[in-house]
Amino acid sequence: MTISEKSAYLKGLMDGLKLNTESDEGKMIAAIVDLLGDLSRKVTDIEDTTIAISDELDEIEDDLDAIEDFIMDDEDDEDDDWDDEDEDWEEYEDDENDEDADEGFDFGDEDSTIYEVTCSCGNVIDFDEETLEKGSIVCPNCGETLEFSTED
């Protein structure tokens, strides 16, 4: 039985006994039963509020866990190249400053010019001076051979 049910039972018991609420003892018992009713409503309100707060805290905890996972995944991605057992920090810093350490990509000669041509199919093709000297390129989209001259 809940506190509210017990309080309602006592009120019903008091009403069933047909106590004289005009006598001193009846007034006292009626006041106690009313107080118990008020207290049981307050306790019920506090329990409901506590449950609501607990649910909100669970949601906040889930959100914080998701944020933590997101942040930790970002930090893990940044630290993929770092391994405490294989390298010390100075060697790691040297690798970061190395031109060829950029994710394993070879960017070639930084001074080379990149050209761009648009095929009749709408595909945009980038190529370098070596391809320009060859005089043609095949569109990877439609297979058409695009020819160009360097005489102009």
Side-chain angles (χ1 to χ4, degrees):
M1 216 189 261
T2 66
I3 292 175
S4 297
E5 292 170 338
K6 287 180 182 180
S7 173
Y9 174 74
L10 287 175
K11 180 145 177 78
L13 199 64
M14 184 185 80
D15 292 340
L17 291 174
K18 298 182 182 174
L19 291 175
N20 181 6
T21 56
E22 298 301 314
S23 71
D24 292 337
E25 297 86 10
K27 287 180 184 179
M28 176 69 109
I29 293 173
I32 292 172
V33 169
D34 287 339
L35 176 65
L36 289 174
D38 291 340
L39 288 174
S40 69
R41 282 188 291 281
K42 284 285 187 187
V43 169
T44 302
D45 289 342
I46 291 170
E47 287 175 344
D48 293 342
T49 302
T50 304
I51 290 170
I53 290 171
S54 177
D55 292 341
E56 288 290 327
L57 285 174
D58 289 342
E59 288 180 27
I60 291 170
E61 182 180 18
D62 292 342
D63 291 343
L64 286 175
D65 287 342
I67 291 169
E68 180 183 24
D69 290 342
F70 178 78
I71 290 172
M72 295 306 285
D73 285 344
D74 283 350
E75 287 178 6
D76 289 344
D77 291 343
E78 292 172 7
D79 293 338
D80 281 346
D81 295 334
W82 175 251
D83 187 354
D84 289 349
E85 297 172 9
D86 295 339
E87 302 180 74
D88 65 0
W89 180 247
E90 291 173 13
E91 289 175 6
Y92 180 72
E93 284 179 337
D94 290 342
D95 285 346
E96 278 188 344
N97 296 329
D98 189 7
E99 288 179 24
D100 295 330
D102 290 326
E103 312 247 347
F105 294 114
D106 182 17
F107 293 107
D109 184 11
E110 296 293 326
D111 296 331
S112 66
T113 304
I114 302 297
Y115 299 95
E116 184 177 278
V117 65
T118 304
C119 181
S120 59
C121 70
N123 188 33
V124 177
I125 305 167
D126 295 330
F127 57 94
D128 59 7
E129 295 215 17
E130 185 179 326
T131 305
L132 180 66
E133 290 172 8
K134 289 181 185 176
S136 67
I137 190 170
V138 176
C139 176
N141 191 33
C142 68
E144 182 180 345
T145 301
L146 305 172
E147 295 182 0
F148 29 82
S149 172
T150 60
E151 292 179 15
D152 291 337

